[in-house]
């Protein structure tokens, strides 16, 4: 049995990858460039180093990684192709957990090297714009020294973490103009309390069907998914997208069992897109950015708002103020606007809960009658 060992590097320039493995990187380079020499140039390594590394891995793993034909380019063997696929699949599936581990390590060292840095813990529904924000905030020279400790989890779980004191901010998303009797309202209303919580604007984004390139099954709605028996990949209970999926099914008069694969779920938009890209599923619901990043098709279903919630008591704390300031800077707004399917929406502004969560309706106090006044 082959075992996996994890290690990390601490340096001034450790790159942007959350987790690295030199073997898949080398295999990818060979596949792209068709030769050992091309892969060595791409990786800025010597031919001898790459050749020796491949031979050592073949001996350790007990299988041929590269095959050559006379007068032909170097190609990955079936074993090498399967190793590369497995690594991609594992990284896509474990991306939220890897990001959380990465954030834990960065937080510890951020405090160690700069005790004055602002550290803000955020539990949030998986969102690529938040991941981009974390990298943007960490760019050297940013005002405030803000480090975002983001733990990706479901929307419901994020708000519960906020209410239990495990984080300062919670990221969650809702469809626009959700009605008071909707599943969205019934899910979030018990978790948020006017006067106790505050909502900070962040983004508007598109959710839809992630499908194979060209949408060969012609899937445009969840009703189409049910009718065709297409293999569906779901999101876990507690996630905001699971709430959205169940809401859309109810609107179409469909039971969860109508979708083939409803009981199968993936932990993030990235993992859903990877499942479709790998052919393990025909369709899933997710954000446009995850689909476009893998060259997949995308069918818009709904526009929704992504919110950041905090307790009123932490709204004006230095770390929260630093984030609110960063969210309203022109360079961040421009960066978010460039993400497929995203639009900045009242970014960094403190918003009235009754405006962004329209199921909250506050009746005006009645005037006392003259008789009562007397």
């Amino acid at each position: 049995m082959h075992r996996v060992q994890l290690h990390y590097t601490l340096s001034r320039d450790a790159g942007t990858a959350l987790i690295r493995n030199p073997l898949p990187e080398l295999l990818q380079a060979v596949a792209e460039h068709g030769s050992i020499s091309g892969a060595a140039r791409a990786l800025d390594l010597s031919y001898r180093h790459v050749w020796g590394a491949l031979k050592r891995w073949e001996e350790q793993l007990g299988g041929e990684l590269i095959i050559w034909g006379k007068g032909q380019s170097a190609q990955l063997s079936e074993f090498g192709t399967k190793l590369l696929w497995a690594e991609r699949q594992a990284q896509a599936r474990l991306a939220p957990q890897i990001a959380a581990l990465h954030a834990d390590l960065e937080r510890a060292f951020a405090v160690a090297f700069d005790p004055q840095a602002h550290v803000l813990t955020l539990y949030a529904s998986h969102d690529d714009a938040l991941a981009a924000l974390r990298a943007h905030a960490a760019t050297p020279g940013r005002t405030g020294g803000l480090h975002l400790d983001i733990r990706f989890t479901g929307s419901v779980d994020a708000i519960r973490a906020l209410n239990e004191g495990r984080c300062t901010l919670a990221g969650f998303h809702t469809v626009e103009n959700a009605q008071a009797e909707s599943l969205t309202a019934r899910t979030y209303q018990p978790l948020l309390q006017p006067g106790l919580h505050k909502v900070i604007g962040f983004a508007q984004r598109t959710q839809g069907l992630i499908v194979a390139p060209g949408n060969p099954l012609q899937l445009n709605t969840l009703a189409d998914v049910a009718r065709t028996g297409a293999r569906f990949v779901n999101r876990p209970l507690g996630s905001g997208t699971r709430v959205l999926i169940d809401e859309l099914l109810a609107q179409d008069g469909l039971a969860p069992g109508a979708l083939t694969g409803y009981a199968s779920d993936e932990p993030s938009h990235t993992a859903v897109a990877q499942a479709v890209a790998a052919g393990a599923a025909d369709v899933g619901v997710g954000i446009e950015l995850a689909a476009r990043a893998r060259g997949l098709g995308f069918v818009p279903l709904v526009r929704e708002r992504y919110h950041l919630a905090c307790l009123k008591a932490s709204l004006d704390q230095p770390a929260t103020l630093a984030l609110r300031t960063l969210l309203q800077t022109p360079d961040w707004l421009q960066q978010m606007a460039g993400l497929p399917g995203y639009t900045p929406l009242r970014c960094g502004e403190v918003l009235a809960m009754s405006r962004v969560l329209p199921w909250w309706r506050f009746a005006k106090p009645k005037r006392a009658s003259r008789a009562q006044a007397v």
Side-chain angles (χ1 to χ4, degrees):
M1 178 180 177
H2 295 93
R3 298 183 180 277
V4 174
Q5 183 182 59
L6 302 178
H7 65 91
Y8 67 89
T9 300
L10 180 65
S11 70
R12 289 184 178 274
D13 183 18
T16 58
L18 292 181
I19 189 169
R20 295 187 59 193
N21 185 328
L23 175 56
E25 290 179 2
L26 196 157
L27 294 176
Q28 179 65 39
V30 173
E32 289 181 354
H33 297 279
S35 68
I36 299 295
S37 58
R41 286 192 298 272
L43 297 172
D44 197 22
L45 298 171
S46 70
Y47 181 95
R48 183 178 179 180
H49 176 90
V50 173
W51 175 266
L54 280 170
K55 289 303 177 184
R56 285 194 299 273
W57 273 313
E58 286 183 339
E59 183 178 347
Q60 291 174 10
L61 300 177
E64 187 180 38
L65 296 172
I66 308 294
I67 56 176
W68 289 270
K70 188 174 182 179
Q72 296 180 347
S73 301
Q75 296 180 345
L76 300 188
S77 67
E78 182 179 5
F79 177 51
T81 299
K82 288 166 67 176
L83 280 177
L84 186 57
W85 176 87
E87 200 270 345
R88 288 173 177 168
Q89 187 75 3
Q91 286 227 26
R93 193 174 291 235
L94 298 174
Q97 293 92 329
I98 293 171
L101 176 59
H102 192 265
D104 278 340
L105 291 169
E106 282 198 338
R107 175 180 181 175
F109 287 109
V111 173
F113 285 104
D114 183 4
Q116 303 304 315
H118 297 301
V119 177
L120 192 59
T121 302
L122 170 62
Y123 277 58
S125 174
H126 183 249
D127 182 78
D128 285 333
L130 277 180
L133 177 65
R134 175 171 53 198
H136 182 79
T139 302
R142 296 288 173 212
T143 303
L146 179 63
H147 177 81
L148 295 179
D149 175 18
I150 301 178
R151 317 293 182 89
F152 285 125
T153 182
S155 287
V156 172
D157 297 330
I159 301 174
R160 285 176 176 160
L162 174 65
N163 292 339
E164 293 168 4
R166 290 184 281 131
C167 61
T168 303
L169 286 170
F172 69 105
H173 54 97
T174 61
V175 294
E176 294 187 325
N177 301 316
Q179 300 302 307
E181 67 279 0
S182 67
L183 178 60
T184 299
R186 297 198 306 272
T187 299
Y188 295 112
Q189 188 166 1
L191 299 173
L192 295 168
Q193 182 179 333
L196 177 63
H197 296 94
K198 291 294 182 180
V199 173
I200 299 171
F202 184 59
Q204 184 184 63
R205 69 182 193 180
T206 304
Q207 286 237 58
L209 299 180
I210 297 177
V211 296
N215 195 7
L217 299 180
Q218 295 298 298
L219 304 173
N220 296 300
T221 64
L222 287 179
D224 290 340
V225 177
R227 175 180 53 80
T228 60
R231 295 169 302 156
F232 182 76
V233 58
N234 208 344
R235 292 293 305 283
L237 282 171
S239 68
T241 300
R242 178 65 168 262
V243 174
L244 171 64
I245 291 167
D246 290 345
E247 184 91 76
L248 294 175
L249 286 173
Q251 291 175 5
D252 288 342
L254 296 172
L259 299 181
T260 302
Y262 179 88
S264 173
D265 59 60
E266 293 287 356
S268 68
H269 300 285
T270 301
V272 168
Q274 180 61 32
V276 175
D282 298 314
V283 59
V285 172
I287 58 175
E288 183 175 356
L289 182 57
R292 302 302 183 202
R294 285 156 186 79
L296 298 171
F298 181 78
V299 182
L301 292 179
V302 296
R303 295 287 282 174
E304 60 181 10
R305 292 190 176 198
Y306 197 103
H307 318 279
L308 301 176
C310 69
L311 297 179
K312 181 179 179 181
S314 64
L315 189 62
D316 294 322
Q317 290 179 356
T320 308
L321 284 172
L323 175 64
R324 289 166 54 191
T325 299
L326 177 65
L327 288 174
Q328 297 181 67
T329 57
D331 52 346
W332 166 247
L333 295 174
Q334 182 178 4
Q335 183 175 338
M336 184 196 285
L339 300 176
Y342 281 88
T343 303
L345 186 64
R346 311 296 293 276
C347 205
E349 297 181 32
V350 180
L351 306 174
M353 193 176 290
S354 59
R355 179 171 183 173
V356 295
L357 306 178
W359 55 81
W360 290 106
R361 291 290 181 263
F362 305 109
K364 294 182 180 179
K366 295 181 180 179
R367 285 187 178 181
S369 65
R370 180 170 303 208
Q372 290 173 323
V374 175

